[in-house]
Amino acid sequence: MVVEASPPSVFSPWPDRLRHAAIILLVAGLALVALVLFGELSAQRAVIAFVCITGAALVPWRVHDKTTSREEVLSVNPVEAPAVRAIVAGMPDPAVLLDRAGRVLHFNSAAGQLAPALRRNELAQFALRSPEIVTALREAIATTEPRRATYLDHVPVDRWMELLITPVPVPTHFGGTDTCMLMTFHDQTPLRRVEEMRADFVANASHELRTPLAALSGFIETLQGPAKDDAKARERFLGIMHTQAKRMARLIDDLLSLSRVELTAHVRPDMLVDILPIIRQVGDGLEPLAAERQVRIEMELPDAPVMIAGDREELLRLFENLIENALKYGASGGRVQVSLAASNNLEGAPEIRVAVRDFGPGIAPEHLPRLTERFYRVDVGDSRAQGGTGLGLSLVKHILNRHRGRLLIESVPKNGATFTAAFPQLKAPQA
Ligand code: ADP
């Protein structure tokens, strides 16, 4: 396409407004001269009129000169000041500052990562296409009131984002204020996950409690009705009811222990305890279960005390869970080994490791990462039949976290499993 250049005029190098003023003055001057020549106006009045017209034509030009084009406004507007840009850039969350029309004035690098299509001086809604954002932005601009929106961002991964639009009055050059819109984005995904976990936990706990409760109610009704005078059935049903009641009690016990450990998770135990008598006490207490399952418990422990900073009750609970699991799920192996060794963690810090090894069926690798989740079981039926609650290993993990230790799980299917509780070793006293 060929664009013809307009012919140069006398006024062409002048700014627009000045050119208009000059034309007005020329026309007015000619008209006044004509009036004077035809005797309609005295020369003196004509001069006064010309001065007035000159003033009227030139003063607005001075005022307009300050606000001519948008680019010129931007270069003088305080909204464009480096301080404003630095504040937006320094905000930790993604932040975008818009003018009242929704055009991007500034955005920080976090916002650039969130919406790579953002460009200065362009409408934000071109880059932020989520309908929730566009609606909130439109409403905020129309009402100049804050708006909040939550939406699911799919790129690069699913994230729950919260958007806040806050109107910010910014002083202009002429003593007024210009309302800009500050958009900030907050990643709500971690909070959502916690909320989902909490809801799952409540649902699981209620389900676990409801099952034995339903069994108890069923048997009570049977005993009050059809089996009222059946002594044999009564005996059998009371036995089952006893087992179910114990299961509920164990579940409540585990739930309470878990919440107690969680409450104190940030406080590391500071009592010095010898870990060996604790392990032996647990082993002795579980002898009846071992005898019942025909499993031999082999203790391979040193003679000298092994001191760690720990909570005795929690350590009893921890070893009880690990050894009881080995006896229950690894019974087919016929023996359970409990051993203690000194080792180093990944950073090279010394630690005490207590390993509980069984020789049972082991655990398939896909289950290993999930074993410490609450209510996770490899085989729900098997766990229930063994009186399990699905909370034991979760409790073990929390107790170890509180002790600043860690749980290591190794298993070879068909060749048993080893659960190792690792505790930081006490520093040797300074000489
Ligand atoms: P539960 O109360 O069911 O025993 P835990 O949290 O202690 O709950 O254990 C979770 C699951 O891990 C168990 O249901 C079982 O499937 C599996 N598990 C734990 N210890 C062993 C083990 N030594 N051998 C095989 N499977 C095990």
Side-chain angles (χ1 to χ4, degrees):
M1 193 172 70
V2 179
V3 180
E4 264 183 45
S6 53
S9 82
V10 189
F11 301 117
S12 42
W14 296 12
D16 271 355
R17 299 275 171 192
L18 189 55
R19 204 156 51 219
H20 293 159
I23 292 168
I24 292 169
L25 290 181
L26 189 67
V27 173
L30 289 174
L32 288 171
V33 169
L35 287 173
V36 172
L37 289 180
F38 289 116
E40 294 290 330
L41 194 67
S42 71
Q44 198 180 8
R45 284 190 179 160
V47 170
I48 293 170
F50 188 74
V51 169
C52 291
I53 293 170
T54 308
L58 287 178
V59 169
W61 171 70
R62 293 289 308 152
V63 174
H64 283 304
D65 185 46
K66 287 213 159 54
T67 56
T68 40
S69 67
R70 177 178 158 67
E71 285 63 34
E72 282 168 53
V73 174
L74 291 179
S75 67
V76 295
N77 197 329
V79 173
E80 290 294 305
V84 178
R85 188 176 315 151
I87 290 169
V88 175
M91 292 179 75
D93 284 322
V96 185
L97 187 69
L98 313 172
D99 66 10
R100 266 211 74 169
R103 238 179 243 115
V104 178
L105 296 171
H106 300 297
F107 61 94
N108 61 9
S109 57
Q113 279 167 18
L114 188 74
L118 273 177
R119 298 280 176 278
R120 289 190 74 196
N121 298 332
E122 282 184 11
L123 289 176
Q125 63 212 55
F126 292 153
L128 305 162
R129 284 163 184 273
S130 157
E132 292 87 350
I133 303 181
V134 175
T135 311
L137 189 55
R138 216 173 274 151
E139 287 177 7
I141 288 173
T143 60
T144 58
E145 278 176 11
R147 281 287 178 274
R148 187 185 286 262
T150 311
Y151 66 98
L152 185 61
D153 194 13
H154 295 288
V155 182
V157 284
D158 279 3
R159 277 185 305 177
W160 278 105
M161 299 299 293
E162 186 187 44
L163 159 69
L164 286 177
I165 306 179
T166 318
V168 242
V170 180
T172 63
H173 257 292
F174 308 111
T177 50
D178 201 0
T179 304
C180 292
M181 297 290 159
L182 180 64
M183 299 173 82
T184 46
F185 297 81
H186 310 275
D187 190 351
Q188 299 286 312
T189 321
L191 276 180
R192 285 254 175 176
R193 291 232 170 94
V194 170
E195 183 50 36
E196 274 169 20
M197 276 165 65
R198 195 195 60 80
D200 282 356
F201 177 68
V202 172
N204 278 325
S206 335
H207 176 74
E208 291 293 328
L209 281 169
R210 206 178 290 131
T211 313
L213 198 59
L216 281 176
S217 315
F219 283 119
I220 291 170
E221 273 171 30
T222 316
L223 285 174
Q224 284 173 331
K228 201 170 183 180
D229 302 315
D230 185 343
K232 237 171 121 185
R234 190 168 56 226
E235 270 316 296
R236 197 163 65 84
F237 290 165
L238 283 174
I240 300 172
M241 288 166 72
H242 188 217
T243 310
Q244 296 297 339
K246 276 203 301 196
R247 187 171 149 202
M248 285 176 73
R250 205 167 25 240
L251 186 65
I252 291 168
D253 238 32
D254 278 358
L255 285 172
L256 287 176
S257 306
L258 205 53
S259 92
R260 217 172 301 130
V261 178
E262 271 183 336
L263 272 181
T264 53
H266 57 289
V267 192
R268 188 178 172 180
D270 54 2
M271 291 285 288
L272 284 190
V273 289
D274 180 0
I275 206 170
L276 298 180
I278 296 176
I279 300 173
R280 288 200 184 99
Q281 183 182 335
V282 172
D284 292 345
L286 287 171
E287 269 310 331
L289 179 68
E292 187 192 305
R293 305 284 161 109
Q294 299 178 336
V295 181
R296 199 172 62 250
I297 301 179
E298 300 167 355
M299 294 278 181
E300 296 169 8
L301 303 173
D303 295 327
V306 177
M307 306 301 287
I308 63 162
D311 179 313
R312 211 185 116 75
E313 287 307 312
E314 288 183 6
L315 293 173
L316 279 169
R317 213 60 211 257
L318 185 156
F319 293 119
E320 201 174 77
N321 269 301
L322 291 186
I323 301 176
E324 196 180 317
N325 275 354
L327 292 174
K328 287 190 312 193
Y329 302 109
S332 58
R335 65 193 175 107
V336 166
Q337 270 176 3
V338 183
S339 57
L340 186 145
S343 186
N344 289 322
N345 69 10
L346 294 176
E347 284 94 43
E351 58 184 15
I352 302 289
R353 290 186 179 182
V354 181
V356 178
R357 166 148 174 57
D358 69 67
F359 300 85
I363 307 161
E366 66 269 23
H367 295 294
L368 297 182
R370 300 199 59 191
L371 286 183
T372 54
E373 281 176 25
R374 290 162 195 206
F375 298 111
Y376 188 84
R377 287 111 146 189
V378 174
D379 179 338
V380 178
D382 184 25
S383 159
R384 290 219 176 116
Q386 308 269 14
T389 60
L391 293 173
L393 290 178
S394 173
L395 189 58
V396 165
K397 188 183 84 176
H398 277 85
I399 293 175
L400 278 168
N401 282 350
R402 192 178 164 224
H403 284 73
R404 308 296 183 260
R406 59 203 183 110
L407 177 67
L408 311 170
I409 309 175
E410 294 157 88
S411 180
V412 179
K414 299 202 177 77
N415 197 16
T418 306
F419 288 77
T420 306
F423 302 90
Q425 207 171 57
L426 282 181
K427 287 200 177 78
Q430 301 284 315

